[in-house]
Every structure is written in structure tokens, then in C-alpha cells.
Amino acid sequence: MSDPYYESRPQNSTTAIISLVAGILGLTFLPGIASIVAVIAGSMAEKEIRESGGRLEGENLARIGKILGWIGVALMGLGLCCALIFFVLVPLFAVAGSTTSGLLPLFAGLAV
């Protein structure tokens, strides 16, 4: 005998689960690429759930995955800015500070 409640119960969206897992991975083991996957999969899952007509659920999973993905993207951007400052600007000013005429010798070859 089949249970009508069990048969009509909506299922979680697979794309929403992928978004959540990718969002978690983007903050832990696979920063960068997994965060981007989480944002894209979360958007796809929200659209899929909206268009399913009640057959799929998991809006919160998709939303949390997107939020974690955007946090991962923001942290990646912040890390890139810090790396730029540390590896480019700090050595540039360190070299400039060791010369007697400041930054002028560094940019002398750029003058046209």
C-alpha cells in the first residue's frame, strides 16, 4: 500500500545541495573556484525551484550556498589585494626609499 503523503512530498533540489557543498568547500579546502561554483549553482537552483511548481524545495540551501560563495569571493578578492600590496607596492617603496631621489629612477625609463 502506498502512502499518498510520501509520494507528494517535494524533494530537495540537487543543484541547491551542490551550491551549499561548494560554498562550504570554497571557505575551506577549495577557495576561489568552489566559491564561484556556489554562486552560480545557487542562482541556478533558485530559478529551478521557482519554476518547479512546488515539486522541488531547498530555497534556503541555495540561498546559504550563494551567501557562502559570495563570502568566499570577497575573501579571495581581499587576499589578492593584500598580495598585491605585499609583493608589489612594499618592495617598490622599499627600493624607492633606499635611493636618494625617491621614485624618479624607477620611472625614468617610462618617460617618452
Side-chain angles (χ1 to χ4, degrees), residues 44-106:
M44 290 172 51
E46 287 176 341
K47 181 180 177 189
E48 177 185 44
I49 293 166
R50 249 191 335 266
E51 294 176 351
S52 73
R55 291 178 289 119
L56 293 175
E57 59 183 18
E59 302 90 1
N60 291 334
L61 299 176
R63 189 174 300 119
I64 292 169
K66 271 179 59 175
I67 291 169
L68 292 175
W70 279 118
I71 291 171
V73 168
L75 289 175
M76 183 177 60
L78 183 64
L80 289 174
C81 288
C82 290
L84 175 74
I85 290 170
F86 186 75
F87 290 112
V88 176
L89 296 179
V90 170
L92 180 70
F93 287 111
V95 169
S98 66
T99 63
T100 56
S101 57
L103 291 174
L104 187 60
L106 293 174

